[in-house]
Amino acid sequence: MSTTLEPLESLAPTLSVRQVLMLERVLAGEPEVVAGAGQLDRAVRWVHVAEAADVGVMLSGGEMVLTTGVLLAGDDDKQAEYIRSLHRAEAAAVVLGLGRAFPAPPDVMRRAAERCGLPMVVLHRPFPFAELTEEVQARLIRRKFAAVSMSEAVRTALTGLITAGAPLQRMLDEIAHHSGCPVVVTNLAHRVLATAGERSAVDDVLRDWERIARQAGGSEGDGWIRAELGGRGERWGQIMLCGYRGDTATGRLLADRAAEALVLHRMLGGTSAHTWEEQSAQSLLTDLVSGVVPARQLLPRARAAGLPVNRRTFVPLVVRDGDPTELDRVLRLLGLPGIVAELADGATAVLLSLARDQDATVLTANFAARLSGTVVAAADPRTAWDDVPAGMREARHVADAVASGVLDLPAVVRLKDVHLRGLIRLLRDDPHVQSFAERELDGLLCGAGADLLAVLRTYLATGRNKSRTAQLHHVSRPALYRRLEAIQGRLGVDLDDFEQAASVHIALLAHDAQQG
């Protein structure tokens, strides 16, 4: 089933007063706006012909009332009350056909309409009200039908995506296609969780997000349309159409349909166990680590996600075997601003944003001390945002270098702590290094050699400490000696010779890096 629809254009179920006045049949009556010219964008929900002074009791709001004033002529009080009655009933406008009752616009009605802010229009040429009523009603009915059809089409498209297991971003891309403007999803703190739309337009919105967020609780206008996200009596965010160029009513309808779909998507869990907040952080940190997107382009996203970025010290971290939820909890406990996201291969990226006068080394150590059974790899602090991607890659490199386990690591591992292992991780994809590793370890890479390879790994990692190796493998020293002799025989080396042992150690590091 196709889920692609044309962008929505002018499908509002109402017409504005201005639009009605531009109809060909109305223009034939030579309309003149004599009061309330600033209110011509009011929505016309219906057209009604009425002469009685207390007409307001027959209205429910949004009507354009047509009258000849035949029952009002000669009575200033009735004329003023007629206008006040329309105002109380929240009529959209009043249209007076000039003729025998009123050959010219009546000043009493005009002044009363101006005071009330009610658009008042006079027709200078005779005009059959029935024709105007028929045309406007027909247009309104068509628009209401089109609005209902559009609403159902959008709902069907978004429901189809949910059924197909589409991720949040795919849902938002579809909404942005229909709206033709940037779409932003935020939490209750107005932090941006996800965006969609033309990249440059989205970046423009995010660059000004602090001001937009401050005004998020205000009234809608200039195409900024919001819909609340929540369910079961609880609100947890909102979706915003930013700079929607169509009718406000159409935008409102679209935003409501989008909100319904997003609530359903979240309730069903989408295709990922991660929350939207986690997905937002994951997308940002993944882009920072990969370096595919320039750092400067990611700055508005980071700021809109709630990360302090002005005059800050950034500390890139990668934690091995860490639970993102637990890491985020520790950050909150310590009062450290930052974002957390799970990367591939069991690694979790953490980007701390510290004030310039805070001690990054001490705070990073405090963070690591709260964790147990994990490896915290850190890059040197960065004071420039443009340097953060390189820092994230450095932290990832350090974490990769110790992925297979290194004995006696400090609480926070840095590039200087991984030594040769770090260099080998960088060169692991070089075909010459791969050939070297296979050639040096050939005698242990198949058959029973796999068990001996584990013994060799421990022996070299402990600095060729035989007692420690025997203890870690739960064997006696004589049994260990026999295994070491078997290793030396299979490889054709003397492990007591430093250069040969170093060559085997480098080959083993390269092999482990390639396997990792």
Side-chain angles (χ1 to χ4, degrees), residues 2-316:
S2 173
T3 58
T4 302
L5 301 176
E6 291 302 316
L8 304 175
E9 294 289 346
S10 301
L11 295 179
T14 59
L15 291 166
S16 68
V17 175
R18 191 187 310 278
Q19 288 172 318
V20 172
L21 297 181
M22 294 302 294
L23 295 178
E24 186 175 348
R25 289 187 178 181
V26 179
L27 291 175
E30 297 182 7
E32 178 189 359
V33 179
V34 296
Q39 302 293 323
L40 296 183
D41 290 324
R42 283 185 173 184
V44 176
R45 187 183 57 81
W46 208 243
V47 178
H48 191 70
V49 179
E51 304 286 357
D54 59 349
V55 62
V57 299
M58 297 180 286
L59 306 178
S60 57
E63 294 91 350
M64 173 178 278
V65 177
L66 311 179
T67 182
T68 62
V70 66
L71 300 180
L72 305 175
D75 191 326
D76 291 351
D77 292 338
K78 283 186 177 182
Q79 294 171 27
E81 176 56 26
Y82 185 85
I83 296 298
R84 289 193 294 267
S85 179
L86 293 178
H87 172 64
R88 289 192 297 269
E90 297 183 349
V94 58
V95 177
L96 174 65
L98 300 181
R100 285 181 298 174
F102 290 103
D107 285 341
V108 172
M109 295 180 68
R110 182 185 57 77
R111 289 195 300 270
E114 196 64 53
R115 284 194 299 270
C116 294
L118 175 71
M120 179 175 174
V121 181
V122 296
L123 301 175
H124 288 277
R125 293 177 62 86
F127 186 89
F129 285 166
E131 290 185 10
L132 174 58
T133 302
E134 179 182 2
E135 179 164 351
V136 173
Q137 312 295 48
R139 286 176 177 266
L140 290 175
I141 290 173
R142 286 198 300 271
R143 279 175 168 249
K144 287 182 178 180
F145 178 77
V148 171
S149 298
M150 175 275 295
S151 175
E152 289 306 309
V154 172
R155 179 183 283 120
T156 299
L158 296 178
T159 302
L161 290 175
I162 295 173
T163 303
L168 171 64
Q169 189 60 55
R170 179 67 184 89
M171 299 279 293
L172 295 181
D173 289 342
E174 185 76 8
I175 295 166
H177 169 72
H178 295 314
S179 66
C181 67
V183 175
V184 176
V185 174
T186 72
N187 61 14
L188 292 180
H190 305 303
R191 291 187 175 181
V192 175
L193 305 181
T195 63
E198 184 182 346
R199 189 73 261 164
S200 60
V202 171
D203 288 345
D204 287 342
V205 170
L206 295 184
R207 271 191 288 270
D208 200 27
W209 186 252
E210 291 183 4
R211 179 188 64 80
I212 294 171
R214 287 195 299 270
Q215 298 176 354
S219 59
E220 296 177 346
D222 297 326
W224 295 84
I225 300 173
R226 294 180 298 277
E228 299 296 333
L229 300 175
R232 298 171 183 170
E234 181 182 7
R235 290 174 53 246
W236 38 260
Q238 67 177 1
I239 180 171
M240 294 183 65
L241 307 184
C242 306
Y244 180 72
R245 294 187 294 273
D247 294 322
T248 299
T250 305
R252 161 54 53 194
L253 195 58
L254 175 58
D256 288 344
R257 293 296 83 79
E260 291 173 4
L262 294 183
V263 169
L264 179 60
H265 182 275
R266 178 153 171 153
M267 289 177 62
L268 295 178
T271 58
S272 170
H274 299 303
T275 66
W276 289 358
E277 289 84 353
E278 290 170 341
Q279 291 182 51
S280 174
Q282 185 179 50
S283 173
L284 175 60
L285 289 182
T286 298
D287 285 345
L288 280 170
V289 171
S290 69
V292 173
V293 182
R296 195 167 299 278
Q297 292 184 21
L298 296 173
L299 184 60
R301 285 171 57 187
R303 182 184 291 112
L307 185 73
V309 296
N310 295 330
R311 296 186 58 77
R312 308 291 289 186
T313 296
F314 302 101
V315 183

Side-chain angles (χ1 to χ4, degrees), residues 448-468:
D451 292 336
L452 296 177
L453 194 66
V455 173
L456 175 63
R457 182 181 294 107
T458 304
Y459 180 63
L460 295 174
T462 58
R464 295 185 294 174
N465 186 320
K466 296 176 182 177
S467 297
R468 180 64 173 152

